[in-house]
């Protein structure tokens, strides 16, 4: 190991990696396309068999009347909220303080659509029914992210979710699902995707996260809503002449992985138990509710990274490619379990965590 190598570089050299499906290289697209008839017509500006068949398939899976494929979730969600605000005649929406719309989109919702966010709940907990009931502002739409990524992928109890949905419908508030990781939460709730989506007026799902496609997202809802979203998609420049590389890879990896989400979930719980048995670290949630969770370390990044580099070199097992400092003087990382985890021999995984425990006890 070169002393100046980054943690990510050392991680990439390991034999076994506990996170993800594999490298996001060109092979991902080649695998998706190798079984496709080369004479298949591409989509053209949002029309054609390739895109329409996939949209119909996703609408049925999500239990919605219609669906439309977008090149990005950022575009899809901003458009969904714009439609609800215009329809309701209110330029306010509510969501969690760590919602993607608030912290990762350069204020796109505010600058492009002049929509004002109402932030609900504290940063370190989920939105609860009381937060919604006690809102002082009128809003057009409430956004719920399931799972709430920035706080470890936490999820509300399903009964709480049903109560929030019922309240919103009673008050005429539209309910939108940021379901970037919707497929990953189906095993925990023991509900179908359609049952979960039935609580919401509109739904966004991603195809490059747990599914592992190239890029792309779907927005689903009633036909009138989706028809309007297509107009906004054109206005946003999302109607590329062809989107088939994204659509075909999304469909391919959806078929490959959607039924493996239960496996990833069980493996995530197993992996979290390894972390929680080590001194000076714990997972959030303590037991994962999807294939994704956070690991918090007592050591700060500057002290932890050298230990992890040594661990990776000694054992050949990579736990994470990055570490970030947290607000409590320690550090954390995000773990997402995918296809890679099942290929790690248990003896190697055991050795990695035994070695990690030894390193931590020496510091």
């Amino acid at each position: 190991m070169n002393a100046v190598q980054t943690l990510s570089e050392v991680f990439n050299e390991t034999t076994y990696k506990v996170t993800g499906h594999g490298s996001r290289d060109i092979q991902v697209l080649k695998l998706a396309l190798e079984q496709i008839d080369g004479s298949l017509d591409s989509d053209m500006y949002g029309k054609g068999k390739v895109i329409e068949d996939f949209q119909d398939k996703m609408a049925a899976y999500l239990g919605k009347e219609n669906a439309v494929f977008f090149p990005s979730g950022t575009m899809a969600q901003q458009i969904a909220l714009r439609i609800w605000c215009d329809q309701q005649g209110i330029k306010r929406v509510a969501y969690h303080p760590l919602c993607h719309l608030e912290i990762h989109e350069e204020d796109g919702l505010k600058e492009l659509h002049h929509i004002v966010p109402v932030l609900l709940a504290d940063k370190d907990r989920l939105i609860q029914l009381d937060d919604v009931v006690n809102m002082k502002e009128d809003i057009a739409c409430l956004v719920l992210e399931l799972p709430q990524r920035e706080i470890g992928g936490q999820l509300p109890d399903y009964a709480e979710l049903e109560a929030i949905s019922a309240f919103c419908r009673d008050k005429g508030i539209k309910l939108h699902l940021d379901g970037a990781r919707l497929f990953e939460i189906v095993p925990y709730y023991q509900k179908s995707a359609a049952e979960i989506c039935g609580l919401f007026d509109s739904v966004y799902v991603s195809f490059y996260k747990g599914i592992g496609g190239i890029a792309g997202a779907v927005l689903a809802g009633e036909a009138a809503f989706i028809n309007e979203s297509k107009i906004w998609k054109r206005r946003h420049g999302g109607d590329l002449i062809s989107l088939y590389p994204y659509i075909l890879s999304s469909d391919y990896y959806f078929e490959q992985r959607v039924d493996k989400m239960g496996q990833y979930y069980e493996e995530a719980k197993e992996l979290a138990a390894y972390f929680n048995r080590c001194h000076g670290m714990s997972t959030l949630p303590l037991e994962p509710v999807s294939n994704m969770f956070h690991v918090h370390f007592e050591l700060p990044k500057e002290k932890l990274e050298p230990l992890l580099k040594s661990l990776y070199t000694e054992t050949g097992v990579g736990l994470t490619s990055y570490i970030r400092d947290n607000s409590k003087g320690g550090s954390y990382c995000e773990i997402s379990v995918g296809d890679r985890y099942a290929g790690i021999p248990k003896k190697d995984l055991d050795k990695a965590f035994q070695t990690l425990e030894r390193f931590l006890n020496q510091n």
Side-chain angles (χ1 to χ4, degrees), residues 59 123-124 130 195 198 222 258 274 350:
K123 287 184 176 182
D124 60 355
D130 284 349
E195 286 176 300
E222 293 182 349
V258 74
Y274 273 102
D350 289 340

Side-chain angles (χ1 to χ4, degrees), residues 35-157:
Q35 302 299 322
I36 303 296
D37 181 353
S39 65
L40 178 67
D41 288 338
S42 70
D43 58 299
M44 292 280 287
Y45 295 116
K47 298 185 183 299
K49 182 176 175 58
V50 166
I51 191 168
E52 290 167 6
D53 283 357
F54 187 65
Q55 288 172 167
D56 290 346
K57 178 178 180 176
M58 287 301 106
Y61 181 84
L62 300 172
K64 294 300 182 186
E65 195 172 5
N66 269 344
V68 59
F69 189 87
F70 279 85
S72 80
T74 296
M75 184 186 296
Q77 293 211 103
Q78 288 185 23
I79 285 172
L81 299 187
R82 174 62 185 264
I83 293 170
W84 292 138
C85 285
D86 286 352
Q87 185 181 108
Q88 303 282 77
I90 302 171
K91 282 287 192 176
R92 281 186 300 275
V93 299
Y95 49 62
H96 193 274
L98 299 180
C99 175
H100 194 281
L101 289 145
E102 184 68 14
I103 66 174
H104 290 306
E105 299 181 13
E106 302 291 348
D107 289 336
L109 194 66
K110 305 167 194 174
E111 296 295 332
L112 297 177
H113 299 284
H114 310 293
I115 294 173
V116 178
V118 176
L119 305 183
L120 294 186
D122 299 327
K123 287 184 176 182
D124 60 355
R125 69 167 175 86
L126 295 165
I127 292 174
Q128 299 170 349
L129 176 61
D130 284 349
D131 299 311
V132 184
V133 171
N134 294 322
M135 274 190 301
K136 293 180 173 55
E137 301 92 339
D138 290 331
I139 62 169
C141 180
L142 169 65
V143 180
L144 294 182
E145 180 186 353
L146 304 179
Q148 194 74 50
R149 178 193 180 185
E150 300 292 339
I151 54 174
Q154 296 182 54
L155 285 171
D157 292 338

Side-chain angles (χ1 to χ4, degrees), residues 2 6 27 39 51 58 78 84 100 102 104 193 202 212 229 241 260 267 270 275 289 293 318 332:
N2 187 323
T6 65
Q27 186 65 24
S39 65
I51 191 168
M58 287 301 106
Q78 288 185 23
W84 292 138
H100 194 281
E102 184 68 14
H104 290 306
S202 56
S229 78
I241 184 171
K260 296 172 73 174
E267 290 169 341
E270 177 183 275
F275 281 108
V289 292
F293 58 92
Y332 77 100

Side-chain angles (χ1 to χ4, degrees), residues 152-216:
Q154 296 182 54
L155 285 171
D157 292 338
Y158 199 75
E160 180 90 358
L161 201 54
E162 290 178 309
I164 292 173
S165 175
F167 177 84
C168 287
R169 287 187 176 162
D170 182 60
K171 299 299 181 182
I173 299 169
K174 296 299 182 180
L175 188 59
H176 172 77
L177 172 57
D178 178 343
R181 294 168 176 80
L182 169 67
F183 308 115
E184 293 92 314
I185 67 172
V186 168
Y188 174 75
Y189 278 140
Q190 291 293 293
K191 305 284 185 183
S192 69
E195 286 176 300
I196 298 169
C197 294
L199 301 176
F200 295 83
D201 297 290
S202 56
V203 177
Y204 141 69
V205 295
S206 170
F207 290 97
Y208 76 84
K209 296 182 171 67
I211 293 298
I214 305 300

Side-chain angles (χ1 to χ4, degrees), residues 11-24:
F11 174 86
N12 287 334
E13 292 175 358
T14 58
T15 304
Y16 301 111
K17 301 167 182 66
V18 304
T19 60
H21 298 303
S23 299
R24 292 188 63 83

